[in-house]
Amino acid sequence: MSMDKSGKPEQTMKDKQLKAFTVESTGEKLTTNQGLRVSEDEHSLKAGERGPTLLEDFHFREKMTHFDHERIPERVVHARGFGAHGYFEVYESMKPYTRAQFLQDPGVRTPVFVRFSTVAGSRGSADTVRDVRGFAVKFYTEEGNYDLVGNNMPVFFIQDAIKFPDFIHAVKPQPHNEVPQAQSAHDTFWDFVGQNTESTHMVFWAMSDRALPRSFRMMEGFGVHTFRFVNEEGEAHFVKFHWKPVLGVHATVWDETQKIAGKDPDFHRRDLWDAIESGNYPEWELGVQLLKEEEEFSFDFDILDPTKLWPEELVPVRLIGKMTLNRNTDNFFAETEQVAFHPGHVVPGIDFSNDPLLQGRLFSYTDTQLKRIGGPNFHELPINRSIAPVHNNQRDGMARMTINPGPVAYHKNSLAGNSPAPASEQEGGYKHYAEKVEGRKVQARSDSFKDHYSQATLFYNSLSDVEKLHLTKAFQFELSKVNNKEVRQRAVDVIGQVDSDLAAMIADAIGAMAPVNGRTAKDSFRSPALSMENKAKSPKTRKAAVLVGNGVKDEVLTSVLDALSEAGVISELVSLKLGYVVSDGDKQLEVKHTFETTDSVLFDAVLVAGGRQSVNELLTQPLAVDFVKQAYRHFKPLAALGEGSELLAASGIGAAAPDGAEAISSAKQPSAAEPGIVIADKLDAKSTFSEAFIEAITAHRHWTRKV
Ligand code: HDD
């Protein structure tokens, strides 16, 4: 990627626009908001040193008033989020399908701002709760802003936007006591599921590992609805949008997820921030599934139904470009909090379908910004500004920033030569796709939306055994938190319409009855693309904890750390005290964390370094033993150099497993006795050791381990 002279990513047009609003105060004098220099900022103006504060202290009043008004309403959904800047490049011209300018020329970089979010929790809730993740992308195109406001799951809970307030009321904390925070595991959510069976497919996604992403950088994104591409000739194609992460799709395990929420509630935002700061720019490929207009009725599901996906095996995903995030925000509030997305922000060549969920969204998003940002001029906030010029007859409103001169603010006019004038299509004017519609006004839903179970079955059947096990346990956990027995039973009955064996396993764990009229998922169609197991794997940016004490053998450790770093793995030393440990070769190695300040749940892998004294120190520390034990229970790769294998043995690893004892003895080669455990006590095996450890890290987790 191109860099400027200081080695930073080159500025996009959006960066330059934002720069004009950026105020750097380092080295400056303190002033009031009126620009008056302030001479005192610690003592308010008083009548005598011990006297009352005087109202005339304008600096005190201004400072306090601003503080009192610092909060705006949090988003009614997706309140907790995190954003970053980047750019998008198309691989090849999409001209045959769409006239959208930003999808024409592979040489053009379109600036983007992306906000990831959880849905149910408040602004201060934990990152790693079980939830859907928002994946909202604002493209600052030369034709105006285009927002692709999606999620990390390809379907949704409801089919018609009129049910959105009901669904959100059911999943949010209960209104009488505001409990539980950022959880779907409570009566009202599961009551909704039992009463509104259209949610079944999405509930399966929400109970799957997709709801526990390891990182924002390792999750897919979906536009969910069917949209339209329209080309210069006015021809339309139906289109579904996908974001495919280059690092693959990975999750944490449930026990780990819950612990991270306590140990580091900012786990996902920290991960994204750190990746960008360290130059490991996250990347996603943009994929499209395309259907001709005449193929609208070619499937056994309705393509307007947002609870249905288009199986990739039936409609292949074509990768058309790549998005790279390469710049963190300068100010969270100004950028991430004030950014306003809207599925109705489109550019010529992108249009809507009649999906009733999408149609309702087209109303809701402007409405919510009026409340949240406080008026109709939210488009003028720097983060929301288009890089395309804005000219219209809108005037006034709360906090208007542009100064539009002249008396004319209406169309048509003669006094300003009838400007600003509507543009023709050739001049870039947006023209709505001339879809033919007819019908009676009815409050009803098409029969083609009535199948609530087939695709839940498809999803369940497409999962690997481990993913199925996790999903089963998720249902068991969530329904165990439901107090009302009838609500529990109804949920089991609904699950029975997808797979009766699954429903029976859940029923057994939660004291409910197995459904009598269940179905079986076994014979249904599979879509391998739906399983996370079949996605890309990479060791890049994975974090390894390296457990060390004083006297650690540094020679072999250094070569292993070099190999890890070359593979893109980030290693951080964990020891008993912060500062340095002194190695057997008298080197000072910097310790990043202590066992008190970190935890294995914050790492992807663990390496125990060798050296008699070092390992003895670790063996005296119960937290070090717990660290290793827990990493093992979470199926993470573990590696030990030399005497380091004793810490593994002390944690019950290897010795407890059938072939483990042998592995821990003097293995010359890394042991394959247990999946994801790499042990070497011979220095000459170091290169093989590193390779085996990197391979184990690349695999993400080692599910066949019996824990
Ligand atoms: Fe929504 C925010 C995604 C259905 C109403 N939504 C919001 C955000 C995302 C989504 C990612 C956060 C944007 C940001 O980071 O600022 N929403 C979706 C998806 C949906 C969906 C993928 C289904 C396919 N949403 C949906 C419906 C409605 C809304 C049916 C209402 C009719 N959504 C909103 C909202 C929010 C919002 C209330 C809250 C804050 C905001 O818009 O800016 O208007």
Side-chain angles (χ1 to χ4, degrees):
M1 78 160 307
S2 35
M3 304 285 177
D4 67 11
K5 283 180 198 141
S6 64
K8 288 194 179 136
E10 206 173 278
Q11 288 202 327
T12 63
M13 266 177 83
K14 185 66 194 175
D15 292 333
K16 287 180 190 147
Q17 189 193 49
L18 289 171
K19 196 82 195 153
F21 292 93
T22 306
V23 178
E24 181 56 75
S25 294
T26 314
E28 301 293 343
K29 295 291 180 205
L30 185 74
T31 74
T32 65
N33 284 336
Q34 306 308 315
L36 175 73
R37 285 194 172 183
V38 170
S39 62
E40 171 56 60
D41 197 28
E42 285 189 89
H43 307 289
S44 57
L45 185 70
K46 298 183 201 75
E49 278 170 14
R50 300 183 63 251
T53 301
L54 299 177
L55 200 57
E56 78 176 63
D57 187 348
F58 51 80
H59 172 54
F60 166 79
R61 282 195 335 260
E62 181 196 86
K63 182 177 175 182
M64 197 51 70
T65 308
H66 193 276
F67 171 75
D68 291 341
H69 293 259
E70 275 174 9
R71 293 291 168 271
I72 60 170
E74 66 172 33
R75 287 167 175 80
V76 60
V77 285
H78 297 266
R80 181 165 179 86
F82 202 63
H85 297 270
Y87 61 90
F88 172 80
E89 270 174 317
V90 72
Y91 291 149
E92 55 181 315
S93 172
M94 285 288 107
K95 195 168 185 227
Y97 305 102
T98 174
R99 55 183 299 195
Q101 275 305 315
F102 80 105
L103 296 177
Q104 303 300 320
D105 184 353
V108 171
R109 280 189 177 176
T110 301
V112 298
F113 185 74
V114 179
R115 185 175 179 272
F116 301 107
S117 48
T118 52
V119 179
S122 295
R123 240 189 93 176
S125 55
D127 279 348
T128 58
V129 295
R130 176 177 294 284
D131 200 352
V132 181
R133 298 300 187 284
F135 194 130
V137 182
K138 191 179 282 293
F139 297 83
Y140 301 98
T141 88
E142 287 170 18
E143 297 177 295
N145 291 346
Y146 168 53
D147 292 355
L148 183 51
V149 196
N151 280 338
N152 74 331
M153 299 178 190
V155 289
F156 202 64
F157 291 95
I158 47 168
Q159 295 171 324
D160 188 319
I162 197 169
K163 291 171 78 74
F164 190 67
D166 301 301
F167 167 66
I168 296 302
H169 287 173
V171 68
K172 279 267 185 181
Q174 297 182 10
H176 62 311
N177 58 7
E178 219 193 25
V179 176
Q181 179 57 239
Q183 312 277 324
S184 49
H186 59 118
D187 285 50
T188 53
F189 174 76
W190 288 98
D191 189 26
F192 184 92
V193 171
Q195 299 295 336
N196 300 272
T197 52
E198 69 202 66
S199 64
T200 310
H201 185 193
M202 181 62 163
V203 167
F204 269 67
W205 280 83
M207 293 303 114
S208 79
D209 288 349
R210 300 272 184 155
L212 315 174
R214 155 67 182 84
S215 159
F216 292 139
R217 302 175 294 124
M218 297 170 201
M219 56 184 209
E220 289 181 318
F222 302 89
V224 180
H225 309 285
T226 297
F227 292 90
R228 272 192 173 89
F229 267 168
V230 186
N231 66 17
E232 270 166 5
E233 286 72 47
E235 270 169 10
H237 280 79
F238 291 111
V239 58
K240 287 248 195 214
F241 294 106
H242 296 245
W243 290 110
K244 304 256 183 199
V246 168
L247 294 176
V249 185
H250 304 285
T252 52
V253 297
W254 179 230
D255 178 65
E256 183 190 13
T257 301
Q258 294 177 84
K259 287 175 176 157
I260 299 173
K263 294 278 178 186
D264 185 6
D266 304 308
F267 186 70
H268 284 147
R269 51 173 67 180
R270 194 187 304 284
D271 168 274
L272 186 68
W273 177 275
D274 287 350
I276 294 175
E277 287 301 294
S278 61
N280 288 311
Y281 300 139
E283 294 174 323
W284 287 260
E285 290 188 289
L286 179 65
V288 289
Q289 286 175 297
L290 293 164
L291 285 180
K292 295 191 178 119
E293 286 274 314
E294 55 271 26
E295 290 174 299
E296 181 170 2
F297 301 106
S298 311
F299 302 93
D300 58 1
F301 52 86
D302 193 328
I303 64 162
L304 299 185
D305 176 355
T307 67
K308 303 296 188 300
L309 52 85
W310 303 353
E312 290 185 30
E313 293 73 13
L314 298 184
V315 188
V317 175
R318 178 165 164 184
L319 298 173
I320 66 164
K322 193 190 268 181
M323 175 170 76
T324 307
L325 298 184
N326 62 359
R327 188 165 79 76
N328 280 315
T329 54
D330 285 322
N331 183 282
F332 180 88
F333 183 86
E335 300 172 73
T336 307
E337 196 58 16
Q338 292 200 121
V339 68
F341 292 94
H342 189 336
H345 293 164
V346 287
V347 288
I350 299 183
D351 212 314
F352 313 112
S353 73
N354 294 334
D355 171 345
L357 193 72
L358 172 60
Q359 293 285 321
R361 290 181 76 192
L362 297 179
F363 164 74
S364 183
Y365 286 71
T366 306
D367 190 38
T368 204
Q369 313 309 348
L370 294 175
K371 167 85 181 167
R372 206 166 68 77
I373 308 181
N377 290 321
F378 58 85
H379 62 281
E380 293 191 327
L381 291 168
I383 192 67
N384 294 325
R385 279 183 182 231
S386 148
I387 56 167
V390 174
H391 298 288
N392 57 44
N393 292 311
Q394 294 166 31
R395 296 288 186 274
D396 308 349
M398 189 72 78
R400 182 71 183 185
M401 274 180 246
T402 53
I403 300 169
N404 306 97
V408 177
Y410 54 90
H411 177 80
K412 299 171 184 178
N413 67 68
S414 69
L415 296 181
N418 202 26
S419 60
S424 68
E425 238 184 310
Q426 290 67 35
E427 292 168 322
Y430 187 88
K431 188 106 185 274
H432 289 268
Y433 178 65
E435 182 187 4
K436 187 170 180 227
V437 282
E438 57 186 23
R440 292 183 184 280
K441 289 184 192 170
V442 287
Q443 289 193 299
R445 212 169 293 177
S446 165
D447 280 350
S448 55
F449 279 46
K450 287 201 170 136
D451 171 9
H452 297 166
Y453 303 118
S454 298
Q455 285 213 347
T457 310
L458 165 72
F459 176 66
Y460 180 62
N461 210 28
S462 305
L463 299 180
S464 67
D465 287 347
V466 167
E467 288 170 307
K468 279 186 180 160
L469 177 70
H470 291 172
L471 177 134
T472 310
K473 289 188 160 180
F475 273 119
Q476 291 171 339
F477 175 93
E478 295 260 322
L479 288 166
S480 300
K481 297 269 181 174
V482 170
N483 294 320
N484 187 299
K485 288 192 181 129
E486 284 163 24
V487 169
R488 269 191 246 162
Q489 186 61 53
R490 265 197 302 274
V492 168
D493 293 345
V494 170
I495 296 161
Q497 293 304 308
V498 177
D499 188 62
S500 50
D501 289 346
L502 170 65
M505 283 188 284
I506 296 163
D508 182 49
I510 64 164
M513 309 270 288
V516 265
N517 295 321
R519 302 186 197 183
T520 174
K522 285 202 187 76
D523 306 325
S524 89
F525 177 63
R526 273 167 216 264
S527 168
L530 298 179
S531 167
M532 289 166 52
E533 291 286 299
N534 300 329
K535 308 285 173 183
K537 303 249 182 327
S538 168
K540 290 210 175 98
T541 71
R542 292 316 185 98
K543 277 177 85 176
V546 184
L547 311 193
V548 291
N550 285 301
V552 57
K553 272 193 186 149
D554 66 38
E555 196 190 337
V556 65
L557 179 63
T558 308
S559 77
V560 172
L561 295 185
D562 286 349
L564 289 178
S565 161
E566 215 165 286
V569 177
I570 299 159
S571 308
E572 291 177 353
L573 266 54
V574 182
S575 190
L576 279 63
K577 287 189 214 160
L578 218 55
Y580 295 91
V581 288
V582 180
S583 73
D584 63 344
D586 243 8
K587 277 195 201 149
Q588 285 197 331
L589 306 180
E590 192 178 351
V591 174
K592 183 103 195 247
H593 310 275
T594 69
F595 290 104
E596 309 278 348
T597 59
T598 193
D599 195 283
S600 80
V601 295
L602 305 177
F603 292 90
D604 294 293
V606 181
L607 167 64
V608 187
R612 184 71 272 143
Q613 187 197 346
S614 170
V615 173
N616 282 352
E617 269 185 21
L618 294 174
L619 284 167
T620 62
Q621 173 57 269
L623 286 177
V625 177
D626 288 350
F627 198 99
V628 170
K629 259 190 199 165
Q630 185 171 249
Y632 179 79
R633 280 196 48 228
H634 293 150
F635 309 95
K636 293 181 180 175
L638 286 142
L641 286 165
E643 298 85 350
S645 62
E646 291 173 29
L647 189 67
L648 267 54
S651 311
I653 300 167
D659 303 327
E662 196 185 313
I664 280 182
S665 67
S666 58
K668 289 193 178 59
Q669 293 295 322
S671 165
E674 268 214 85
I677 308 285
V678 182
I679 297 173
D681 65 354
K682 290 278 179 192
L683 301 190
D684 60 6
K686 66 194 176 198
S687 64
T688 323
F689 175 88
S690 301
E691 280 164 23
F693 189 35
I694 291 163
E695 202 182 309
I697 294 171
T698 307
H700 180 59
R701 299 292 162 98
H702 299 273
W703 303 118
T704 51
R705 198 179 280 167
K706 302 269 178 288
V707 296

